[in-house]
C-alpha cells in the first residue's frame, strides 16, 4: 500500500481495478476522502463494495491502480459476517484483544474494554461466552472489538444488517460520536437510514462509480434512492382470520438451551393457510430458536408443535446452507433427495432460482463459494423454495440484500402466501413487518403483541381453539436432533459456556491449576507399582471431587471406558512376554497368562483411569480463558499463546458451522432417516467436503481478523 496521499485527503484511490479470474469486481475507479468525513458506499450485491473495502484495508493486494492512505493512519474493518471477526471465547476478552496488541497498560485495556462494550450495550454480557450471543449481539461485539483499537479510519461492511431498530439507532449514535471526535467513517450499506447518517455517498454499479457526491443530493433524487431501498413495500391491510384454516401451531412451547435460563416460555399461537406472518423482537430474544423448534430441528422442553408436514426453514447463516460446488447443484440437492430426476428436476431448479432472484441462466454454473453475500442468501432461499413445502420459514431473508433484491424477496414471500402456502419470517425492519398480513412480537420469552388479537390466549396455559382441530397432528422432531444437541454440548463445553458454578479448584490462580494438573498427570503415568497406581487413582478422584464432579458421575465414567481398557488388556496379555521361571496359569497358542502380565494389565488400567480423570477434572475446572491466562505466566512466547487461543476459538466455530450445515441437510433430506451409529457415520460423510471448504475459508478470515486487531506477533 502506498503511504503518500493527496493534500487534504485521508484516502486517495486512483484508477483502481480488480478482477476475480476473468470477472471484473472493480473497473478503473477513482475518488478521494477527506479527514473526518462520513461516507456511505452503496450499490447492488456483487457491485464490488466488499472488494473495495478489503483493498482499502490492505487485506488483498490491488492488481491495477493506486491506493494512497495518510501516513500513520490506522484502519479498522467491521466484517459483513460478525462471527468471522470474533477471536476470543469470552465477550470481554474479545474486546480486550486489540488493546492488548497495542501494548497498553492493563488499566487502559480494561478502561477501553468497559467503554466499548458500554457504547454497544453489551457490558452486561461481558462475562458471557461469545458463541452464546445472538447474531445481532455478535455484530455489536465485532464493532466493540474494532472501536477498542481506536482506529483513525473505520470501515463497516454491512455492519448493522442484523440489528434491531433500537440497536441500529445506538450504533449510529456511536458512529456519529466517533466522527465528531475526528474519525473517518466508510459505511458500506443497503440501508437508507445509514445513508442519511452520512455526509457523502459513493455509488457502485458493476464495479464502476455511478455517483460520487453529497448524501443530501443523493437522497433528493428518487431514482438513486430506489437503487438503495428498492420499491417501497406496500403496507398490508390487516384482516380477521377467524374461520381460516390453521396449518401450523405452537401449543404451550417452552425451551431452554442446556445450562442456560429459559429462553421461550409457554408460547402458543397458530398460523393460517395462505398468510404471510412477520416474527419480530429484539436481537437475542429467541426468534431463530422458535423457527428451529417449529421446523423440528429442536425438541421443546414442554408443549408441542402441530403441523401435518415438517416446515422448510431457510437459515440466517446462508453460507452454511450451501454445500454443493455449483449453484444449480445446490438448489437441486433437496428435490433430488426426494426422488426427483431429469427434466422435472431441472425445471424445479430453474423455477426456484428465477423466483429467488438468482436467475438460472446467469448463475446456474457459477461456483457457490464465489458468490457475494447477497447472492449466497438468494441461492439459499432458492434451495428452500425447491422443496415446495406447504409451510415455509425464513430467518432474516433480506439481511445483506440490496434494495432491489430485498423488494424481490419480499414480493416472493407474498406470492408464496397468495398460492396458499403458510409463510413465517423474522425481521428487524418495521416496513417489512407492516408488509405482512400479521405481526407477532416476541419479548422476554413470551408473545408480547399480536396484530390478530383473537390469536392470543388470555392466559398462558390456555391454547387457541384452532389448535385443537383434528386436522393437525403433533410434529415429531427429526431423528438427527440428538446429533445437533451433542454438537452444541461439545461446542459450549469447548468454549466454556457450560461453567455456571465455581468449584474449589477455580479458587486457585490459573497458572497454579495448570501446574497442579501437570504434576498429577505426570505422576499418574510415571508410577509403575500397583500401590502407587492405586494411590494416584484415589488422588485423581479427590481432584475430580474438587472440580465439582459427583462420585456417581466418576463411577459412571469409569464403567463406561472399562470395556475398552479390558480390550486393550487382552492385547497386552498376548504380546507382552512372560518373565523367566514364573508361574503360568494358562498357555494357549499366543496367549499366556502369568502373574506379571496380570499385574501389568491392572497397573495399566489404573494408570489410564488416573490420567483420564485428571484430564477431565482439569478441563472442567479450567475454562479456555483461564488456561490462556495461566499459560501467559508460564510460556514466554506470545505467538504460541495466540495460536492456542485461536484454536480454542476456532474449534467451537467449526462445530457450530458443522451444526448449521447438518441442519440444512436435515431440512433438505440429506441425512434421511438416520438410525443406528453406523447409519449416522455414513450420513455424516457428505458433510466432510463442505466443512473442509468452510474450514479453509474460516482460517483465512480469522487471519484477517487478527490482522485488523493490530496483532504483529512480537
Amino acid at each position: 500500500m502506498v503511504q503518500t496521499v493527496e493534500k487534504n485527503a485521508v484516502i486517495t484511490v486512483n484508477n483502481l481495478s480488480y478482477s476475480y479470474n476473468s470477472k471484473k469486481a472493480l473497473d478503473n475507479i477513482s475518488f478521494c476522502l477527506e479527514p473526518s468525513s462520513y461516507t456511505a458506499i452503496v450499490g447492488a450485491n456483487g457491485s464490488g463494495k466488499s472488494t473495495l473495502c478489503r483493498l482499502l484495508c490492505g487485506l488483498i493486494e490491488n492488481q491495477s491502480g493506486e491506493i494512497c492512505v495518510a501516513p500513520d493512519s490506522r484502519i479498522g474493518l467491521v466484517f459483513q459476517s460478525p462471527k468471522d471477526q470474533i477471536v476470543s471465547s469470552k465477550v470481554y476478552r474479545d474486546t480486550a484483544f486489540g488493546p492488548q496488541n497495542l501494548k497498553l497498560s492493563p488499566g487502559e485495556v480494561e478502561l477501553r474494554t468497559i467503554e466499548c462494550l458500554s457504547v454497544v450495550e453489551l457490558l452486561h454480557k461481558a462475562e458471557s461466552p461469545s458463541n452464546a450471543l445472538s447474531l445481532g449481539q455478535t455484530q455489536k461485539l465485532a464493532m466493540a472489538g474494532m472501536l477498542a483499537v481506536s482506529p483513525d479510519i473505520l470501515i463497516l461492511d454491512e455492519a448493522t444488517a442484523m440489528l434491531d431498530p433500537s440497536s441500529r439507532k445506538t450504533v449510529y449514535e456511536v458512529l456519529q460520536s466517533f466522527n465528531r471526535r475526528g474519525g473517518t467513517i466508510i459505511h458500506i450499506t443497503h440501508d437508507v437510514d445509514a445513508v442519511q447518517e452520512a455526509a457523502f455517498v459513493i455509488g457502485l454499479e458493476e464495479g464502476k462509480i455511478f455517483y460520487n457526491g453529497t448524501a443530501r443530493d443523493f437522497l433528493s433524487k428518487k431514482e438513486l434512492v430506489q437503487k438503495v431501498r428498492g420499491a417501497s413495500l406496500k403496507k398490508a391491510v390487516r384482516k380477521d382470520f377467524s374461520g381460516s384454516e390453521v396449518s401450523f401451531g405452537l401449543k404451550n412451547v417452552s425451551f431452554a438451551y442446556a445450562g442456560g435460563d429459559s429462553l421461550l416460555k409457554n408460547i402458543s399461537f397458530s398460523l393460517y393457510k395462505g398468510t404471510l406472518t412477520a416474527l419480530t423482537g429484539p436481537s437475542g430474544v429467541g426468534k431463530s430458536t422458535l423457527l428451529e423448534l417449529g421446523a423440528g430441528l429442536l425438541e421443546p422442553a414442554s408443549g408441542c408443535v402441530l403441523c401435518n408436514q415438517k416446515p422448510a426453514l431457510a437459515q440466517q447463516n446462508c453460507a452454511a446452507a450451501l454445500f454443493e460446488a455449483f449453484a444449480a447443484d445446490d438448489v437441486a440437492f433437496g428435490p433430488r433427495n426426494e426422488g426427483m430426476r431429469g427434466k422435472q428436476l431441472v425445471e424445479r431448479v430453474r423455477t426456484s432460482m428465477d423466483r429467488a432472484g438468482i436467475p438460472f441462466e446467469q448463475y446456474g454454473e457459477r461456483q457457490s463459494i464465489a458468490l457475494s453475500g447477497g447472492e449466497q442468501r438468494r441461492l439459499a432461499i432458492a434451495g428452500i423454495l425447491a422443496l415446495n413445502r406447504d409451510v415455509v420459514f425464513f430467518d432474516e431473508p433480506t439481511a445483506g440484500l440490496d434494495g432491489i433484491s430485498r423488494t424481490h424477496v419480499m414480493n416472493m414471500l407474498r406470492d408464496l402466501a397468495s398460492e396458499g402456502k403458510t409463510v413465517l419470517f423474522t425481521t428487524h425492519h418495521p416496513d417489512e413487518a407492516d408488509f405482512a398480513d400479521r405481526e407477532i412480537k416476541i419479548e422476554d420469552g413470551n408473545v408480547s403483541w399480536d396484530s390478530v388479537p383473537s390469536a392470543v390466549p388470555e392466559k398462558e396455559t390456555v391454547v387457541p381453539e384452532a389448535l385443537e382441530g383434528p386436522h393437525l397432528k403433533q410434529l415429531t422432531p427429526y431423528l438427527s436432533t440428538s446429533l445437533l444437541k451433542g454438537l452444541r454440548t461439545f461446542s459450549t463445553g469447548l468454549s466454556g459456556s457450560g461453567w455456571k458454578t465455581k468449584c474449589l479448584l477455580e479458587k486457585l490462580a490459573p497458572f497454579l491449576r495448570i501446574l497442579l494438573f501437570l504434576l498429577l498427570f505426570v505422576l499418574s503415568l510415571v508410577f509403575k507399582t500397583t500401590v502407587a497406581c492405586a494411590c494416584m487413582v484415589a488422588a485423581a478422584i479427590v481432584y475430580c471431587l474438587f472440580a465439582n464432579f459427583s462420585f456417581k458421575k466418576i463411577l459412571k465414567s469409569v464403567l463406561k471406558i472399562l470395556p475398552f481398557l479390558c480390550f486393550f488388556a487382552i492385547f497386552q496379555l498376548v504380546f507382552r512376554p512372560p518373565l523367566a521361571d514364573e508361574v503360568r496359569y494358562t498357555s494357549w497358542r499366543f496367549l499366556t497368562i502369568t502373574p506379571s502380565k496380570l499385574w501389568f494389565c491392572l497397573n495399566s488400567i489404573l494408570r489410564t483411569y488416573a490420567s483420564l480423570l485428571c484430564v477431565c477434572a482439569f478441563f472442567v475446572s479450567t475454562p479456555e480463558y483461564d488456561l490462556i491466562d495461566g499459560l501467559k505466566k508460564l510460556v514466554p512466547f506470545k505467538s504460541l499463546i495466540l495460536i492456542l487461543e485461536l484454536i480454542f476459538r476456532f474449534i467451537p466455530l467449526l462445530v457450530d458451522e458443522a451444526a448449521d450445515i447438518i441442519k440444512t441437510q436435515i431440512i433438505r433430506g440429506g441425512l434421511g432417516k438416520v438410525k443406528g451409529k453406523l447409519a449416522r457415520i455414513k450420513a455424516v460423510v457428505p458433510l466432510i467436503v463442505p466443512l473442509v471448504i468452510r474450514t479453509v475459508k474460516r482460517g483465512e478470515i480469522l487471519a484477517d481478523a487478527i490482522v485488523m486487531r493490530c496483532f504483529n506477533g512480537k
Side-chain angles (χ1 to χ4, degrees):
M1 182 178 291
V2 181
Q3 292 299 312
T4 59
V5 67
E6 286 188 10
K7 189 178 180 181
N8 298 327
V10 68
I11 290 179
T12 302
V13 173
N14 291 318
N15 307 119
L16 183 65
S17 295
Y18 195 89
S19 299
Y20 295 100
N21 297 322
S22 59
K23 185 180 183 333
K24 276 200 171 183
L26 295 171
D27 188 2
N28 198 36
I29 66 170
S30 300
F31 62 86
C32 292
L33 299 181
E34 296 179 357
S36 306
S37 59
Y38 191 150
T39 304
I41 298 181
V42 300
N45 296 127
S47 61
K49 302 185 303 299
S50 294
T51 299
L52 175 59
C53 83
R54 288 174 62 79
L55 284 164
L56 293 176
C57 293
L59 294 177
I60 54 177
E61 292 184 11
N62 56 311
Q63 299 166 340
S64 175
E66 185 180 53
I67 301 173
C68 306
V69 180
D72 302 320
S73 293
R74 181 180 297 142
I75 300 179
L77 169 63
V78 182
F79 294 3
Q80 187 174 21
S81 176
K83 283 187 178 182
D84 293 340
Q85 196 156 347
I86 310 306
V87 298
S88 297
S89 62
K90 276 271 190 177
V91 167
Y92 79 90
R93 292 174 69 90
D94 188 82
T95 307
F97 181 77
Q100 287 169 346
N101 290 331
L102 296 174
K103 298 182 180 178
L104 302 177
S105 67
E108 181 65 20
V109 169
E110 184 178 2
L111 187 64
R112 282 203 190 183
T113 301
I114 292 171
E115 180 184 1
C116 293
L117 287 176
S118 296
V119 297
V120 298
E121 299 179 335
L122 275 184
L123 188 59
H124 66 293
K125 293 281 188 179
E127 293 287 341
S128 299
S130 53
N131 72 340
L133 301 179
S134 72
L135 206 55
Q137 291 168 331
T138 306
Q139 206 153 31
K140 289 183 179 181
L141 178 59
M143 183 167 291
M146 195 47 61
L147 288 173
V149 301
S150 192
D152 302 293
I153 303 166
L154 181 62
I155 302 176
L156 303 99
D157 190 0
E158 287 293 341
T160 58
M162 299 292 179
L163 300 180
D164 57 72
S166 175
S167 297
R168 277 201 299 272
K169 184 179 177 183
T170 299
V171 168
Y172 293 150
E173 289 171 356
V174 171
L175 294 178
Q176 289 292 355
S177 175
F178 174 83
N179 185 234
R180 284 194 297 270
R181 293 198 305 269
T184 302
I185 296 175
I186 302 172
H187 192 170
I188 294 171
T189 183
H190 295 127
D191 189 351
V192 172
D193 291 339
V195 175
Q196 290 172 343
E197 298 291 321
F200 303 97
V201 175
I202 295 174
L204 289 177
E205 190 169 45
E206 296 182 353
K208 296 181 178 181
I209 293 177
F210 72 83
Y211 180 86
N212 187 357
T214 66
R216 178 177 294 181
D217 288 344
F218 182 91
L219 293 168
S220 68
K221 296 177 173 64
K222 290 184 179 179
E223 67 277 9
L224 293 178
V225 173
Q226 196 164 331
K227 281 180 178 283
V228 179
R229 177 182 284 159
S232 298
L233 297 174
K234 187 179 179 181
K235 190 171 182 178
V237 177
R238 300 279 161 83
K239 53 187 178 182
D240 184 9
F241 294 121
S242 56
S244 300
E245 180 182 340
V246 176
S247 54
F248 175 87
L250 296 175
K251 182 176 181 180
N252 293 334
V253 168
S254 297
F255 183 80
Y257 288 106
D261 297 326
S262 182
L263 184 63
L264 300 171
K265 308 163 191 174
N266 282 348
I267 287 187
S268 295
F269 63 77
S270 56
L271 298 179
Y272 302 94
K273 183 177 179 180
T275 60
L276 178 62
T277 304
L279 186 65
T280 63
S283 300
V285 79
K287 300 186 295 298
S288 297
T289 299
L290 190 62
L291 294 190
E292 290 190 12
L293 285 162
L297 294 173
L298 291 173
E299 188 170 3
S302 62
C304 62
V305 179
L306 301 170
C307 194
N308 286 328
Q309 179 191 42
K310 283 189 173 71
L313 168 62
Q315 293 185 88
Q316 199 174 65
N317 181 4
C318 58
L322 309 177
F323 35 78
E324 293 285 359
F326 296 96
D329 291 334
D330 202 273
V331 178
F333 184 85
R336 190 183 286 122
N337 286 327
E338 294 176 352
M340 190 175 289
R341 297 289 185 274
K343 290 182 179 180
Q344 187 182 11
L345 177 61
V346 173
E347 189 55 35
R348 175 72 66 84
V349 171
R350 184 189 302 275
T351 302
S352 301
M353 291 185 69
D354 291 348
R355 192 164 202 180
I358 187 157
F360 177 82
E361 295 298 335
Q362 183 181 349
Y363 290 93
E365 296 183 4
R366 293 269 298 274
Q367 288 189 328
S368 305
I369 198 169
L371 300 178
S372 70
E375 290 166 342
Q376 287 184 344
R377 184 166 296 280
R378 282 178 279 156
L379 184 62
I381 289 172
I384 294 302
L385 293 179
L387 296 173
N388 197 28
R389 301 272 175 86
D390 293 331
V391 181
V392 195
F393 299 156
F394 296 90
D395 198 359
E396 295 285 349
T398 64
L401 294 184
D402 58 66
I404 294 173
S405 298
R406 181 180 89 112
T407 303
H408 182 97
V409 167
M410 292 307 299
N411 286 328
M412 178 205 70
L413 299 185
R414 167 64 64 202
D415 291 342
L416 288 173
S418 300
E419 292 166 10
K421 296 187 183 297
T422 304
V423 183
L424 175 68
F425 70 99
T426 63
T427 182
H428 288 308
H429 297 280
D431 62 332
E432 292 180 6
D434 290 340
F435 180 76
D437 300 316
R438 175 185 180 190
E439 180 182 356
I440 299 173
K441 190 173 185 179
I442 306 291
E443 287 182 303
D444 299 322
N446 297 295
V447 176
S448 63
W449 185 75
D450 193 327
S451 62
V452 181
S454 61
V456 181
E458 292 181 5
K459 297 181 181 179
E460 288 184 343
T461 53
V462 177
V463 181
E465 292 181 6
L467 296 185
E468 302 291 353
H471 62 288
L472 291 184
K473 59 185 179 183
Q474 185 170 336
L475 194 70
T476 305
Y478 287 99
L479 293 171
S480 301
T481 52
S482 58
L483 175 62
L484 292 171
K485 188 176 180 181
L487 284 172
R488 183 173 181 85
T489 302
F490 180 59
S491 174
T492 54
L494 285 171
S495 64
S497 314
W499 278 266
K500 291 209 72 174
T501 56
K502 295 280 184 184
C503 63
L504 290 173
L505 284 176
E506 287 182 90
K507 292 183 178 180
L508 292 175
F511 79 96
L512 290 177
R513 261 179 275 166
I514 294 173
L515 292 175
L516 177 61
F517 161 69
L518 290 175
L519 176 66
L520 291 172
F521 183 74
V522 171
L523 289 177
S524 67
L525 296 176
V526 167
F527 288 133
K528 302 295 182 185
T529 66
T530 304
V531 173
C533 290
C535 288
M536 285 311 304
V537 170
I541 289 173
V542 173
Y543 184 46
C544 284
L545 293 174
F546 283 148
N548 277 2
F549 268 85
S550 66
F551 191 78
K552 183 179 178 182
K553 189 175 181 181
I554 296 171
L555 186 61
K556 242 172 126 182
S557 63
V558 165
L559 293 174
K560 213 178 251 188
I561 64 170
L562 185 59
F564 297 99
L565 295 181
C566 290
F567 178 74
F568 287 111
I570 294 171
F571 274 92
Q572 291 171 347
L573 288 173
V574 171
F575 294 107
R576 185 175 176 81
L579 298 176
D581 302 326
E582 72 173 327
V583 177
R584 301 193 177 200
Y585 295 129
T586 185
S587 182
W588 181 77
R589 293 191 178 182
F590 300 107
L591 180 63
T592 303
I593 300 178
T594 66
S596 67
K597 284 190 173 189
L598 290 175
W599 284 116
F600 180 81
C601 290
L602 177 61
N603 293 344
S604 296
I605 290 172
L606 291 175
R607 280 200 302 272
T608 304
Y609 272 130
S611 58
L612 287 178
L613 289 174
C614 286
V615 170
C616 292
F618 175 70
F619 280 104
V620 165
S621 62
T622 310
E624 169 267 331
Y625 40 87
D626 279 352
L627 176 61
I628 296 299
D629 285 345
L631 288 174
K632 282 178 180 176
K633 288 196 177 244
L634 299 172
V635 180
F637 305 110
K638 184 179 178 182
S639 295
L640 178 61
I641 299 299
L642 175 68
I643 290 169
L644 289 173
E645 189 164 12
L646 290 179
I647 287 172
F648 277 103
R649 165 64 188 157
F650 198 58
I651 294 175
L653 200 63
L654 288 182
V655 173
D656 293 343
E657 194 81 42
D660 284 341
I661 293 172
I662 288 170
K663 287 174 190 175
T664 305
Q665 291 232 359
I666 290 171
I667 291 166
R668 293 165 67 178
L671 295 179
K673 296 180 178 179
V674 182
K675 291 182 180 178
K677 290 185 178 179
L678 188 60
R680 248 178 222 182
I681 293 170
K682 188 178 178 182
V684 170
V685 169
L687 307 178
I688 295 173
V689 173
L691 191 56
V692 168
I693 293 171
R694 293 298 298 162
T695 300
V696 174
K697 191 73 174 171
R698 284 283 188 190
E700 293 173 352
I701 295 170
L702 203 54
D704 290 342
I706 66 171
V707 168
M708 298 314 300
R709 301 285 197 94
C710 304
F711 180 78
N712 57 20
K714 296 178 182 178

